[in-house]
């Protein structure tokens, strides 16, 4: 299927690895020019070079922490007028309800709620003026089914989800759609780090920890960044203009719910 977005430009935050990179690869395969971002320059440049070589699109890189005002300003300056925005950043650390104080919540809200809101606020006006835009926020399955040890993530991402629910409907008439992708377990550095942690805690092998985690997923395995990227690219396509304000679970059926 031709997604009809060749020649468009996309800003993909936190995209040198993992799910962000999966989105970048899938959009580049459709002929979309990219602005990529991550904090660490080396892997960011390697990813950019690999994507240029594989897909022949323009790739601009900005090494910056997207959760800081300075990082956002640098990324926005390099991005200019983009047609597609994919919001992403690292997730907050795990813990227990009794661990977190005001500062921990402010940090999580800054990273996983206020940063994507700031980038949407900055880029929506020019998308609306041109009558076309696609915004995807990478959130988590924890918005639908809480992960107790990720209380900071549950809270911040739920806040972003509420913002998107209203805002997506305010801007849809201008040809701009905003949707959230909710990843379940994916075989990325972050996803696999949880299996490493469990293996250490339980004194089992990493392979057994992955097998244990996969047993809770009806598909029987972790998701891949490629699958995730393909879903993102479809939501950014010409064909997805009627999909507005949705929260789409990519979890292999792990969340056991009827709707
Ligand atoms: P990952 O494999 O660790 O990759 C994270 C990417 O984001 C890297 O390119 C990293 O590069 C960049 N990054 C992290 N923090 C950044 C920041 N502050 N500013 C700019 N770039 C940043 O992680 P992932 O698995 O793709 O996860 C992406 C998001 O999805 C996270 O928020 C995670 O919590 C969420 N999620 C993941 C899963 C899963 O199973 N993988 C499940 C649910 C939710 P640098 O380190 O160089 O900055």
């Amino acid at each position: 299927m031709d997604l009809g977005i060749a020649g468009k430009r996309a800003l993909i935050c936190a995209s040198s690895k993992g799910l962000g990179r999966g989105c970048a690869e899938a959009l580049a395969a459709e002929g979309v020019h990219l602005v990529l971002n991550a904090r660490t320059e080396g892997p960011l440049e390697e990813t950019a070079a690999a994507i240029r070589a594989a897909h022949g699109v323009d790739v601009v890189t900005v090494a910056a922490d997207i959760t800081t005002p300075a990082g956002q300003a640098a990324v926005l300056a390099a991005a200019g007028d983009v047609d597609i925005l994919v919001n992403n950043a690292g997730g907050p650390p795990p813990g227990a309800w009794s661990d977190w104080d005001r500062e921990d919540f402010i940090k999580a809200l800054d990273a996983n709620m206020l940063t994507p809101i700031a980038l949407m606020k900055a880029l929506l006006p020019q998308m609306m003026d041109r009558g076309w835009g696609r915004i995807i926020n990478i959130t988590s399955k924890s918005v639908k089914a809480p992960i107790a040890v990720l209380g900071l993530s549950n809270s911040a991402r739920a806040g972003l989800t509420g913002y998107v629910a209203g805002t997506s409907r305010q801007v849809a008439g201008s040809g701009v759609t905003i949707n959230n992708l909710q990843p379940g377990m994916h075989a990325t550095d972050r996803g696999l780090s949880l299996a490493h942690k469990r293996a250490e805690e339980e004194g089992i092998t990493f392979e057994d920890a992955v097998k244990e985690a996969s047993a809770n997923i009806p598909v029987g395995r972790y998701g891949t960044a490629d699958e995730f990227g393909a879903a993102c690219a479809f939501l950014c396509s010409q064909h997805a203009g009627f999909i507005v304000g949705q929260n789409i679970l990519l979890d292999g059926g792990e969340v056991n719910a009827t709707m």
Side-chain angles (χ1 to χ4, degrees):
M1 183 192 285
D2 177 4
L3 298 188
I5 49 178
K8 297 217 180 269
R9 291 184 69 245
L11 164 59
I12 305 166
C13 303
S15 50
S16 66
K17 297 180 184 174
L19 304 180
R21 179 172 180 167
C23 297
E25 297 271 2
L27 287 168
E30 294 299 319
V32 175
H33 304 297
L34 305 177
V35 180
L36 300 185
N37 152 255
R39 291 165 302 182
T40 320
E41 202 162 352
L44 178 61
E45 292 306 331
E46 281 168 29
T47 295
I51 290 177
R52 282 184 203 109
H55 305 293
V57 296
D58 298 339
V59 184
V60 172
T61 56
V62 188
D65 184 339
I66 197 65
T67 68
T68 65
Q72 290 159 27
V75 166
L76 287 169
D81 288 353
V82 289
D83 307 289
I84 294 167
L85 164 65
V86 179
N87 275 314
N88 186 30
W97 63 270
S98 49
D99 297 337
W100 303 312
D101 58 23
R102 179 179 163 78
E103 280 317 304
D104 298 311
F105 277 102
I106 297 294
K107 219 170 151 191
L109 292 173
D110 262 340
N112 298 110
M113 178 182 172
L114 298 177
T115 292
I117 288 175
L119 295 175
M120 284 189 264
K121 196 168 173 209
L123 292 172
L124 271 167
Q126 45 92 17
M127 290 182 185
M128 294 168 76
D129 282 350
R130 291 202 306 279
W132 198 93
R134 297 284 185 264
I135 300 179
I136 308 297
N137 298 293
I138 299 180
T139 66
S140 172
K141 76 160 193 182
S142 72
V143 175
K144 281 214 171 112
I147 302 170
V149 295
L150 293 180
L152 293 171
S153 170
N154 299 339
S155 308
R157 296 186 198 279
L160 174 62
T161 303
Y163 174 86
V164 167
T167 304
S168 60
R169 285 154 174 103
Q170 287 180 314
V171 304
S174 302
V176 181
T177 67
I178 314 179
N179 292 286
N180 302 324
L181 283 177
Q182 301 178 314
M185 265 312 188
H186 281 73
T188 64
D189 285 358
R190 171 149 173 123
L192 294 174
S193 72
L194 302 176
H196 280 296
K197 196 160 173 268
R198 184 174 312 140
E200 239 178 69
E201 285 168 1
E202 294 179 13
I204 58 176
T205 64
F206 168 72
E207 289 71 24
D208 281 344
V210 168
K211 218 186 265 175
E212 259 184 30
S214 302
N216 298 323
I217 304 171
V219 164
R221 61 170 176 83
Y222 286 28
T224 69
D226 286 351
E227 290 170 313
F228 191 89
C232 175
F234 179 76
L235 280 181
C236 293
S237 75
Q238 297 292 357
H239 311 296
F242 209 55
I243 304 176
V244 169
Q246 296 305 298
N247 293 283
I248 298 171
L249 262 177
L250 299 172
D251 73 338
E254 189 180 4
V255 172
N256 190 29
T258 304
M259 286 197 285

